[in-house]
PDB file of all heavy atoms in Angstrom:
ATOM      1  N   CYS A 210       1.847   4.866   1.065  1.00 97.00           N
ATOM      2  CA  CYS A 210       1.519   5.580   2.289  1.00 97.00           C
ATOM      3  C   CYS A 210       1.194   7.058   2.025  1.00 97.00           C
ATOM      4  O   CYS A 210       1.960   7.787   1.399  1.00 97.00           O
ATOM      5  CB  CYS A 210       2.670   5.487   3.290  1.00 97.00           C
ATOM      6  SG  CYS A 210       2.253   6.250   4.872  1.00 97.00           S
ATOM      7  N   THR A 211       0.037   7.474   2.546  1.00 97.00           N
ATOM      8  CA  THR A 211      -0.359   8.884   2.505  1.00 97.00           C
ATOM      9  C   THR A 211      -0.839   9.331   3.888  1.00 97.00           C
ATOM     10  O   THR A 211      -1.762  10.146   4.019  1.00 97.00           O
ATOM     11  CB  THR A 211      -1.493   9.101   1.458  1.00 97.00           C
ATOM     12  OG1 THR A 211      -2.600   8.243   1.792  1.00 97.00           O
ATOM     13  CG2 THR A 211      -1.044   8.810   0.049  1.00 97.00           C
ATOM     14  N   LEU A 212      -0.251   8.753   4.932  1.00 98.00           N
ATOM     15  CA  LEU A 212      -0.761   8.997   6.286  1.00 98.00           C
ATOM     16  C   LEU A 212      -0.500  10.422   6.797  1.00 98.00           C
ATOM     17  O   LEU A 212      -1.221  10.901   7.657  1.00 98.00           O
ATOM     18  CB  LEU A 212      -0.168   7.981   7.254  1.00 98.00           C
ATOM     19  CG  LEU A 212      -0.787   6.583   7.226  1.00 98.00           C
ATOM     20  CD1 LEU A 212       0.054   5.595   8.013  1.00 98.00           C
ATOM     21  CD2 LEU A 212      -2.220   6.620   7.772  1.00 98.00           C
ATOM     22  N   CYS A 213       0.549  11.066   6.290  1.00 98.00           N
ATOM     23  CA  CYS A 213       0.842  12.429   6.773  1.00 98.00           C
ATOM     24  C   CYS A 213       0.813  13.385   5.604  1.00 98.00           C
ATOM     25  O   CYS A 213       0.731  12.974   4.446  1.00 98.00           O
ATOM     26  CB  CYS A 213       2.167  12.442   7.522  1.00 98.00           C
ATOM     27  SG  CYS A 213       3.605  12.651   6.462  1.00 98.00           S
ATOM     28  N   PRO A 214       0.909  14.703   5.867  1.00 98.00           N
ATOM     29  CA  PRO A 214       0.806  15.666   4.760  1.00 98.00           C
ATOM     30  C   PRO A 214       1.922  15.537   3.718  1.00 98.00           C
ATOM     31  O   PRO A 214       1.773  16.080   2.626  1.00 98.00           O
ATOM     32  CB  PRO A 214       0.889  17.028   5.477  1.00 98.00           C
ATOM     33  CG  PRO A 214       0.398  16.757   6.841  1.00 98.00           C
ATOM     34  CD  PRO A 214       0.875  15.388   7.189  1.00 98.00           C
ATOM     35  N   ARG A 215       3.001  14.835   4.014  1.00 97.00           N
ATOM     36  CA  ARG A 215       4.039  14.642   2.977  1.00 97.00           C
ATOM     37  C   ARG A 215       3.448  13.873   1.799  1.00 97.00           C
ATOM     38  O   ARG A 215       3.876  14.057   0.673  1.00 97.00           O
ATOM     39  CB  ARG A 215       5.207  13.849   3.537  1.00 97.00           C
ATOM     40  CG  ARG A 215       5.887  14.422   4.752  1.00 97.00           C
ATOM     41  CD  ARG A 215       6.958  15.397   4.433  1.00 97.00           C
ATOM     42  NE  ARG A 215       7.581  15.915   5.616  1.00 97.00           N
ATOM     43  CZ  ARG A 215       8.255  17.061   5.652  1.00 97.00           C
ATOM     44  NH1 ARG A 215       8.399  17.805   4.593  1.00 97.00           N
ATOM     45  NH2 ARG A 215       8.790  17.480   6.785  1.00 97.00           N
ATOM     46  N   LYS A 216       2.533  12.948   2.124  1.00 97.00           N
ATOM     47  CA  LYS A 216       1.906  12.099   1.106  1.00 97.00           C
ATOM     48  C   LYS A 216       2.954  11.607   0.099  1.00 97.00           C
ATOM     49  O   LYS A 216       2.794  11.733  -1.123  1.00 97.00           O
ATOM     50  CB  LYS A 216       0.765  12.834   0.406  1.00 97.00           C
ATOM     51  CG  LYS A 216      -0.375  13.183   1.369  1.00 97.00           C
ATOM     52  CD  LYS A 216      -1.669  13.387   0.674  1.00 97.00           C
ATOM     53  CE  LYS A 216      -2.790  13.851   1.575  1.00 97.00           C
ATOM     54  NZ  LYS A 216      -2.971  13.226   2.856  1.00 97.00           N
ATOM     55  N   CYS A 217       4.033  11.039   0.639  1.00 96.00           N
ATOM     56  CA  CYS A 217       5.143  10.670  -0.267  1.00 96.00           C
ATOM     57  C   CYS A 217       4.865   9.356  -1.008  1.00 96.00           C
ATOM     58  O   CYS A 217       5.606   8.967  -1.874  1.00 96.00           O
ATOM     59  CB  CYS A 217       6.456  10.659   0.482  1.00 96.00           C
ATOM     60  SG  CYS A 217       6.557   9.464   1.807  1.00 96.00           S
ATOM     61  N   ARG A 218       3.756   8.709  -0.681  1.00 97.00           N
ATOM     62  CA  ARG A 218       3.306   7.516  -1.416  1.00 97.00           C
ATOM     63  C   ARG A 218       4.402   6.439  -1.510  1.00 97.00           C
ATOM     64  O   ARG A 218       4.550   5.784  -2.532  1.00 97.00           O
ATOM     65  CB  ARG A 218       2.808   7.888  -2.815  1.00 97.00           C
ATOM     66  CG  ARG A 218       1.672   8.911  -2.787  1.00 97.00           C
ATOM     67  CD  ARG A 218       1.148   9.246  -4.178  1.00 97.00           C
ATOM     68  NE  ARG A 218       0.460   8.121  -4.783  1.00 97.00           N
ATOM     69  CZ  ARG A 218      -0.775   7.761  -4.490  1.00 97.00           C
ATOM     70  NH1 ARG A 218      -1.474   8.441  -3.616  1.00 97.00           N
ATOM     71  NH2 ARG A 218      -1.323   6.712  -5.048  1.00 97.00           N
ATOM     72  N   ALA A 219       5.146   6.327  -0.419  1.00 97.00           N
ATOM     73  CA  ALA A 219       6.154   5.259  -0.375  1.00 97.00           C
ATOM     74  C   ALA A 219       5.466   3.926  -0.165  1.00 97.00           C
ATOM     75  O   ALA A 219       4.500   3.832   0.619  1.00 97.00           O
ATOM     76  CB  ALA A 219       7.126   5.514   0.778  1.00 97.00           C
ATOM     77  N   ARG A 221       5.995   1.227   1.821  1.00 96.00           N
ATOM     78  CA  ARG A 221       6.902   1.031   2.969  1.00 96.00           C
ATOM     79  C   ARG A 221       7.291  -0.425   3.161  1.00 96.00           C
ATOM     80  O   ARG A 221       8.194  -0.718   3.939  1.00 96.00           O
ATOM     81  CB  ARG A 221       6.265   1.633   4.236  1.00 96.00           C
ATOM     82  CG  ARG A 221       6.313   3.172   4.147  1.00 96.00           C
ATOM     83  CD  ARG A 221       5.416   3.849   5.183  1.00 96.00           C
ATOM     84  NE  ARG A 221       5.643   3.387   6.520  1.00 96.00           N
ATOM     85  CZ  ARG A 221       4.879   3.707   7.556  1.00 96.00           C
ATOM     86  NH1 ARG A 221       3.843   4.513   7.373  1.00 96.00           N
ATOM     87  NH2 ARG A 221       5.140   3.240   8.749  1.00 96.00           N
ATOM     88  N   PRO A 225      11.568   2.917   2.808  1.00 93.00           N
ATOM     89  CA  PRO A 225      10.976   3.874   3.755  1.00 93.00           C
ATOM     90  C   PRO A 225      10.540   5.149   3.045  1.00 93.00           C
ATOM     91  O   PRO A 225      11.073   5.510   1.992  1.00 93.00           O
ATOM     92  CB  PRO A 225      12.107   4.149   4.733  1.00 93.00           C
ATOM     93  CG  PRO A 225      13.354   3.658   4.105  1.00 93.00           C
ATOM     94  CD  PRO A 225      12.993   2.698   3.025  1.00 93.00           C
ATOM     95  N   GLY A 226       9.588   5.838   3.682  1.00 92.00           N
ATOM     96  CA  GLY A 226       9.188   7.139   3.184  1.00 92.00           C
ATOM     97  C   GLY A 226      10.036   8.243   3.776  1.00 92.00           C
ATOM     98  O   GLY A 226      11.068   7.975   4.400  1.00 92.00           O
ATOM     99  N   PHE A 227       9.590   9.504   3.626  1.00 92.00           N
ATOM    100  CA  PHE A 227      10.318  10.649   4.169  1.00 92.00           C
ATOM    101  C   PHE A 227      10.565  10.465   5.663  1.00 92.00           C
ATOM    102  O   PHE A 227      11.613  10.854   6.191  1.00 92.00           O
ATOM    103  CB  PHE A 227       9.526  11.933   3.925  1.00 92.00           C
ATOM    104  CG  PHE A 227      10.169  13.154   4.489  1.00 92.00           C
ATOM    105  CD1 PHE A 227      11.016  13.950   3.719  1.00 92.00           C
ATOM    106  CD2 PHE A 227       9.968  13.539   5.820  1.00 92.00           C
ATOM    107  CE1 PHE A 227      11.623  15.081   4.255  1.00 92.00           C
ATOM    108  CE2 PHE A 227      10.582  14.647   6.381  1.00 92.00           C
ATOM    109  CZ  PHE A 227      11.404  15.427   5.590  1.00 92.00           C
ATOM    110  N   CYS A 228       9.605   9.845   6.348  1.00 92.00           N
ATOM    111  CA  CYS A 228       9.699   9.673   7.805  1.00 92.00           C
ATOM    112  C   CYS A 228      10.775   8.666   8.192  1.00 92.00           C
ATOM    113  O   CYS A 228      11.095   8.523   9.380  1.00 92.00           O
ATOM    114  CB  CYS A 228       8.366   9.230   8.370  1.00 92.00           C
ATOM    115  SG  CYS A 228       7.732   7.732   7.590  1.00 92.00           S
ATOM    116  N   GLY A 229      11.346   7.962   7.228  1.00 91.00           N
ATOM    117  CA  GLY A 229      12.389   7.006   7.522  1.00 91.00           C
ATOM    118  C   GLY A 229      11.877   5.648   7.963  1.00 91.00           C
ATOM    119  O   GLY A 229      12.664   4.804   8.411  1.00 91.00           O
ATOM    120  N   LEU A 230      10.571   5.424   7.827  1.00 93.00           N
ATOM    121  CA  LEU A 230       9.981   4.206   8.401  1.00 93.00           C
ATOM    122  C   LEU A 230       9.504   3.239   7.340  1.00 93.00           C
ATOM    123  O   LEU A 230       8.913   3.636   6.329  1.00 93.00           O
ATOM    124  CB  LEU A 230       8.807   4.612   9.283  1.00 93.00           C
ATOM    125  CG  LEU A 230       9.237   5.468  10.475  1.00 93.00           C
ATOM    126  CD1 LEU A 230       8.076   6.212  11.064  1.00 93.00           C
ATOM    127  CD2 LEU A 230       9.944   4.616  11.522  1.00 93.00           C
ATOM    128  N   CYS A 263       9.785  10.258  12.310  1.00 92.00           N
ATOM    129  CA  CYS A 263       8.955  11.453  12.453  1.00 92.00           C
ATOM    130  C   CYS A 263       8.588  11.927  11.057  1.00 92.00           C
ATOM    131  O   CYS A 263       9.377  11.795  10.115  1.00 92.00           O
ATOM    132  CB  CYS A 263       9.723  12.547  13.192  1.00 92.00           C
ATOM    133  SG  CYS A 263       8.741  14.043  13.417  1.00 92.00           S
ATOM    134  N   THR A 264       7.384  12.455  10.946  1.00 94.00           N
ATOM    135  CA  THR A 264       6.948  12.984   9.652  1.00 94.00           C
ATOM    136  C   THR A 264       7.463  14.398   9.404  1.00 94.00           C
ATOM    137  O   THR A 264       7.417  14.862   8.292  1.00 94.00           O
ATOM    138  CB  THR A 264       5.419  12.998   9.566  1.00 94.00           C
ATOM    139  OG1 THR A 264       4.920  13.838  10.607  1.00 94.00           O
ATOM    140  CG2 THR A 264       4.846  11.588   9.719  1.00 94.00           C
ATOM    141  N   THR A 310       1.908   8.916  14.151  1.00 98.00           N
ATOM    142  CA  THR A 310       1.181   9.044  12.888  1.00 98.00           C
ATOM    143  C   THR A 310       1.530   7.950  11.849  1.00 98.00           C
ATOM    144  O   THR A 310       0.609   7.382  11.250  1.00 98.00           O
ATOM    145  CB  THR A 310       1.407  10.447  12.304  1.00 98.00           C
ATOM    146  OG1 THR A 310       1.019  11.402  13.288  1.00 98.00           O
ATOM    147  CG2 THR A 310       0.598  10.667  11.038  1.00 98.00           C
ATOM    148  N   PRO A 311       2.803   7.639  11.621  1.00 97.00           N
ATOM    149  CA  PRO A 311       3.084   6.637  10.576  1.00 97.00           C
ATOM    150  C   PRO A 311       2.579   5.240  10.924  1.00 97.00           C
ATOM    151  O   PRO A 311       2.596   4.339  10.068  1.00 97.00           O
ATOM    152  CB  PRO A 311       4.618   6.651  10.487  1.00 97.00           C
ATOM    153  CG  PRO A 311       5.035   7.965  11.050  1.00 97.00           C
ATOM    154  CD  PRO A 311       4.042   8.263  12.128  1.00 97.00           C
TER     155      PRO A 311
HETATM  156  S1  SF4 B 526       3.934   8.751   7.123  1.00 61.77           S
HETATM  157 FE1  SF4 B 526       5.985   8.566   6.227  1.00 61.77          FE
HETATM  158  S2  SF4 B 526       5.752   7.276   4.405  1.00 61.77           S
HETATM  159 FE2  SF4 B 526       3.700   7.975   5.036  1.00 61.77          FE
HETATM  160  S3  SF4 B 526       3.327   9.836   3.807  1.00 61.77           S
HETATM  161 FE3  SF4 B 526       4.203  10.483   5.743  1.00 61.77          FE
HETATM  162  S4  SF4 B 526       6.426  10.615   5.399  1.00 61.77           S
HETATM  163 FE4  SF4 B 526       5.522   9.402   3.723  1.00 61.77          FE
END
Side-chain angles (χ1 to χ4, degrees):
C210 185
T211 57
L212 282 168
C213 85
R215 303 273 181 201
K216 297 203 185 316
C217 63
R218 303 182 68 79
R221 288 166 51 189
F227 178 94
C228 56
L230 297 161
C263 181
T264 60
T310 305

